[in-house]
Amino acid sequence: MTADVDSERPGERPDRAQGAVGYELFRDDWGIPHLRAADALALARAQGHATALDRAWQLETERHRVLGTSASHLGAEAVDWDRFVRRARIADTARRCFDHLAPETAAWVTAYVDGVNEGLAEGAERAPEFAAVGLAPGRWEPWTPLGVWLSTHILFAGFPTKLWREEVARRLGEDRMTLFATDGPGTAGSNGWLLTGARTATGAPLVAGDPHRFIENPGVYQQIRLACPEFDVVGLAVPGIPGIAHFGHTGHVAWAITNAMADYQDLYRERLHRTPDGGVEALGPDGWYRAHAHTETIEVAGAEPERVEVIETDRGPVIIGDVADGEAARALLSADGTRSRPGEAADGPFISLRYPPRVTGELGFDVLPALLRARTVGDVDTALDRWVEPVNVVLAADTAGDTLHRVAGYVPVRPYANRLRVVPAEDPAYAWREGEAVPLPRTEVDGSDGSGGIAVMANERGLAAPLGVEFAPPHRARRIRELLGAGTGWTPDAQAAVHTDTRLASSRRLLSLLAWAPGLGPAAERLRDRLLRWDRHMDADSTDATLYARLRTDVVHRLAAHPALKGVTGEDDPWRSAAYPALFRPWLAAVPRIGYALESLLTVGLLPYEDRLALVAASAEAVAAAAEETPPAPWGELHRLSPWQALPGVTPDEEAIRPGVAGDHDCVLSTSSVPGVTDLFARGPAARYVWDLARREDSRWAVPFGASGIPGSAHHRDQTPLWVRGELAPVVTDWNLLHRTTLHRTTHHPEENPAMTTDEPIAPALRPAVHEQKIEGFGTVRLVPVVPAADAELLHGWVTEERSRFWGMADHTREQVREIYEFVDSLPTHHAYLALLDGVPAALFQTYEPDADPVGECYDVQPGDFGVHLLIGPAEGEGEVKGYTEALLTAFIAYVFSDPAHLRVIVEPDARNEKAIARMVRIGFELGPEIQKPEKTARLAFLTRTALGLA
């Protein structure tokens, strides 16, 4: 089967009316950029330019992270990263890798950088963060994208875990080194799956999934379309990186990746010594030799500069340990001047990092333009033969029905011990075999291997097992296979049921021990009975899920206090050690390690069975007693997103980017908190996608926030409601359904494109809905954002009718109405929606945050208050349908309360509007006082979750 993509492809001679910009920028209704240019180089330049407009602060943040200069504007808290990235020589490695690129790839990357530099000044004008820290955007170098890729992925393989294992072996014994290496989710992971045509409704493959990473605001993935006469690709790009590396659909072939959990970075214990002339010597297999050493200065905002010595041995850059100088160096010498402790510094060991791009000068960027041009699975496969970092599992399918399931990347050949721990630098047995790489596994997806036309990649110990040490538990992979294997006829929309599955299979072991826990009191028995009846789904509205999480936390803490783990917990916790930089403390903390390894720690090895039963029984008693005092809240009220931001406190809607969400770290919906530490989560689905190989326009995607990185933009976080509900936005491929954007410099209010002109405004019925609900006997209600330029005529007709006199716009012109709703659209706290009944505009629905509205000055605003305005269209005025307004209100209220952060709805109708007030009372609103506003006397009314039975 082939996809009809010809109608989507741009013409051979795109409109060059945008002059020096040299490309066309369109946006869909989610603000997602669709770029069209005359050739691949112009398109790369366009991608860089558009990214700079939308993500200027993010790009500047990444540039500083590459250079190790973040502390210059972020202050002392960024020094640890700056010191590491300088010592690891990330920028220098990026330069090396750029110099090794094929000439055509280097030109392509340079074109992207040129576009970034052209757009940064304008992008910075829109981003308030620059003014907040007094920063001007710096210039990108041609190698900067390679540095961004390196700095983003340098910790991806989790080499600091080797430090943890080393400490466990030293403190608990060599036989306990892998006690916590129980396939725990300590590093980033993802879900991905492929269905062959035999399993889909169309007979063509589907590729779907969601990368799990630390969620950042702005997001780490950028939805984008890149089109020129050679190719037309949609996908998830990484801001700062040209092309589409991880998740893309060319119209002919689609691909996706997950972290293979391979081990390809090594830590070496070095023996270093300061020479009389101030240099540094290192001990290698052939004796002592001169190591590279130089000193750099880290500027720190609000503090004195810090100096860092950058040392590199034959193994790699030294990332841990400072070589003593002066008197301290002489103290390490014996009386006869020999080196008495040549492997130690005054405050700890010396450890170097060996990683493939530093050794080979290759990063894999030559693959990126080849992926854009791919038309078959074979093309993707050939391109990925040159991939280096990070090591990924790949799934791909094309319109002919061919599929691919393989590992891509570079894994050096060296002893297995290198994967486990820190190894001695001077021993040649631990050296990499020069020029040799481990052969990478692959398998079939045609069903001949018993897969039934299903391939799954979820970081489990599967295809990539020969390449790593620790993998994710098998639960996500098994559950995905179980769900997909339950039927055929799969469609893109049906993938949401897989994306959002919340079954927590890892709960089985703890609940099994709870079932047999001896001597429980009455309250603990009630707790046990309740949790044993629980369906084991970590749903947002589940109080049972919260009880389980409480029990798990208590068990983790009791294990941490158990004498069996005394060597690595409490005061002996490795994260307290001064021997390691603070940057590595998350990998060295015992309580998270225990939490992630809980399932296996409760199964074998650590404690006798009776001790495990007693420990769980004690936890059950404690949790039951607490629950009697404080009943559990729904899981979604505790399990909230806590994204990383380079500069917290600037975004006006920061609470809105912390929604409550279902799931847990071993669910398919892997919103990964830290058991025993917090119910908040920072790692989860950084994007979701479904690639349809039958019709690309039926593909779907979503990100946690929005297409824009500009606070206050309409598209800064407009996808958050979708993401929370597990819904996806359509991938628009018809150029006629997109908005053409005119580009020129501006200093107007920060918008996606302040000078945007729309050739043909999209009709309301074609816009993506923020909420859709079928009401029996009434019809389907959809809420879509108001587009002021497109909807001004309709809204003017409504608000100027006599029946709308209480709306206060009876004498307004069409232009005044448009200006009012453009102002509303510019506010992050206020939103306007058209309600469509079976596709026909039926009402105007507005929402606002009371503490950001004049009404907030008229009453005591409570946490969770959410204001609404409602104007019913002419059908209600004509009285054509009984219960018309009540039916619409059902959908509006359902939308508001779909966000668990909204606890109470506030309305403020004109006190003279007796009809509206009576209607509110009928559906459950409680009347409040009259308030005096400049334009009217209003009557407050409140509707709580409790009144609707939703508490």
Side-chain angles (χ1 to χ4, degrees), residues 721 725 770-771 783 833 845 847 891-899:
R725 296 192 298 268
V770 300
H771 180 74
L783 295 181
Y833 305 98
F845 180 60
T847 67
F892 300 154
I893 292 168
Y895 168 62
V896 171
F897 283 137
S898 67
D899 186 337

Side-chain angles (χ1 to χ4, degrees), residues 359-613:
V359 175
T360 66
E362 300 288 347
L363 193 53
F365 262 44
D366 288 317
V367 172
L368 299 182
L371 286 175
L372 295 176
R373 295 180 172 91
R375 299 178 69 87
T376 67
V377 157
D379 293 339
V380 172
D381 194 15
T382 299
L384 290 174
D385 285 341
R386 293 172 287 166
W387 188 247
V388 176
E389 169 119 357
V391 179
N392 296 320
V393 177
V394 183
L395 288 174
D398 60 28
T399 53
D402 293 328
T403 58
L404 175 69
H405 189 186
R406 63 165 290 181
V407 177
Y410 181 93
V411 179
V413 177
R414 79 278 203 219
Y416 183 77
N418 292 42
R419 300 186 192 178
L420 283 174
R421 63 191 308 173
V422 183
V423 294
E426 69 275 13
D427 190 336
Y430 299 102
W432 290 12
R433 294 188 192 173
E434 186 174 354
E436 292 189 44
V438 176
L440 300 178
R442 61 175 62 230
T443 189
E444 300 297 326
V445 197
D446 59 8
S448 60
D449 61 349
S451 64
I454 300 170
V456 177
M457 50 181 186
N459 321 113
E460 77 281 17
R461 189 180 296 273
L463 186 65
L467 307 177
V469 176
E470 296 186 42
F471 295 82
H475 307 303
R476 284 188 285 118
R478 288 174 182 170
R479 180 62 172 167
I480 293 169
R481 287 191 181 91
E482 176 186 351
L483 293 168
L484 295 175
T488 55
W490 284 97
T491 64
D493 287 340
Q495 304 310 300
V498 184
H499 278 131
T500 59
D501 187 78
T502 61
R503 182 166 178 80
L504 187 66
S506 62
S507 64
R508 182 187 64 83
R509 186 57 189 164
L510 176 52
L511 294 178
S512 176
L513 290 169
L514 178 63
W516 294 99
L520 298 181
E525 284 188 346
R526 288 192 294 273
L527 171 73
R528 176 178 63 188
D529 293 344
R530 180 174 176 179
L531 286 180
L532 293 181
R533 290 194 302 268
W534 173 46
D535 63 5
R536 303 187 188 184
H537 284 264
M538 300 296 285
D539 293 330
D541 61 357
S542 173
T543 54
D544 290 344
T546 301
L547 273 179
Y548 173 78
R550 286 185 181 180
L551 179 66
R552 178 176 62 187
T553 292
D554 195 87
V555 170
V556 168
H557 289 164
R558 290 178 189 274
L559 276 174
H562 196 280
L565 293 179
K566 184 179 184 306
V568 293
T569 57
E571 292 301 316
D572 296 322
D573 197 321
W575 80 269
R576 299 177 184 274
S577 172
Y580 303 114
L583 183 71
F584 301 137
R585 284 179 180 169
W587 286 268
L588 293 166
V591 171
R593 289 283 175 184
I594 294 168
Y596 287 139
L598 183 62
E599 186 180 10
S600 62
L601 292 176
L602 292 177
T603 303
V604 293
L606 182 63
L607 302 178
Y609 179 65
E610 292 75 14
D611 289 359
R612 284 177 260 152
L613 285 176

Side-chain angles (χ1 to χ4, degrees), residues 151-453:
S151 68
T152 299
H153 294 98
I154 189 67
L155 296 174
F156 221 60
F159 68 79
T161 297
K162 297 177 184 182
L163 303 176
W164 165 256
R165 293 194 202 108
E166 201 69 34
E167 291 299 317
V168 171
R170 185 170 67 85
R171 297 159 183 254
L172 300 182
E174 291 285 334
D175 61 328
R176 294 294 180 95
M177 178 186 291
T178 58
L179 176 65
F180 300 87
T182 51
D183 285 5
T187 57
S190 305
N191 296 320
W193 57 93
L194 184 155
L195 294 162
T196 65
R199 289 238 168 226
T200 67
T202 63
L206 286 173
V207 180
D210 49 357
H212 302 153
R213 304 177 68 137
F214 282 101
I215 295 177
E216 302 178 13
N217 181 33
V220 297
Y221 285 114
Q222 174 193 30
Q223 298 152 296
I224 201 165
R225 183 183 187 182
L226 304 174
C228 66
E230 275 191 274
F231 52 79
D232 182 350
V233 187
V234 297
L236 301 170
V238 175
I241 309 299
I244 296 169
H246 284 164
F247 310 97
H249 192 329
T250 72
H252 306 279
V253 62
W255 66 92
I257 63 94
T258 61
N259 184 354
M261 312 298 280
D263 186 276
Y264 50 88
Q265 301 166 329
D266 286 351
L267 295 180
Y268 287 89
R269 183 177 295 103
E270 299 280 358
R271 302 177 70 182
L272 304 179
H273 176 73
R274 180 75 65 191
T275 61
D277 63 357
V280 174
E281 287 183 345
L283 181 63
D286 298 322
W288 291 90
Y289 65 95
R290 185 88 169 195
H292 170 89
H294 72 272
T295 302
E296 299 181 7
T297 300
I298 301 173
E299 299 294 335
V300 184
E304 292 298 315
E306 296 197 17
R307 292 172 67 80
V308 57
E309 187 173 30
V310 177
I311 301 170
E312 185 166 13
T313 72
D314 288 350
R315 267 67 57 192
V318 175
I319 60 169
I320 297 173
D322 295 306
V323 180
D325 200 359
E327 292 300 322
R330 285 190 287 274
L332 296 180
L333 301 179
S334 61
D336 61 0
T338 60
R339 304 172 184 89
S340 57
R341 292 185 292 155
E344 297 181 16
D347 56 354
F350 302 122
I351 295 176
S352 63
L353 171 66
R354 189 171 181 84
Y355 58 104
R358 187 69 187 161
V359 175
T360 66
E362 300 288 347
L363 193 53
F365 262 44
D366 288 317
V367 172
L368 299 182
L371 286 175
L372 295 176
R373 295 180 172 91
R375 299 178 69 87
T376 67
V377 157
D379 293 339
V380 172
D381 194 15
T382 299
L384 290 174
D385 285 341
R386 293 172 287 166
W387 188 247
V388 176
E389 169 119 357
V391 179
N392 296 320
V393 177
V394 183
L395 288 174
D398 60 28
T399 53
D402 293 328
T403 58
L404 175 69
H405 189 186
R406 63 165 290 181
V407 177
Y410 181 93
V411 179
V413 177
R414 79 278 203 219
Y416 183 77
N418 292 42
R419 300 186 192 178
L420 283 174
R421 63 191 308 173
V422 183
V423 294
E426 69 275 13
D427 190 336
Y430 299 102
W432 290 12
R433 294 188 192 173
E434 186 174 354
E436 292 189 44
V438 176
L440 300 178
R442 61 175 62 230
T443 189
E444 300 297 326
V445 197
D446 59 8
S448 60
D449 61 349
S451 64

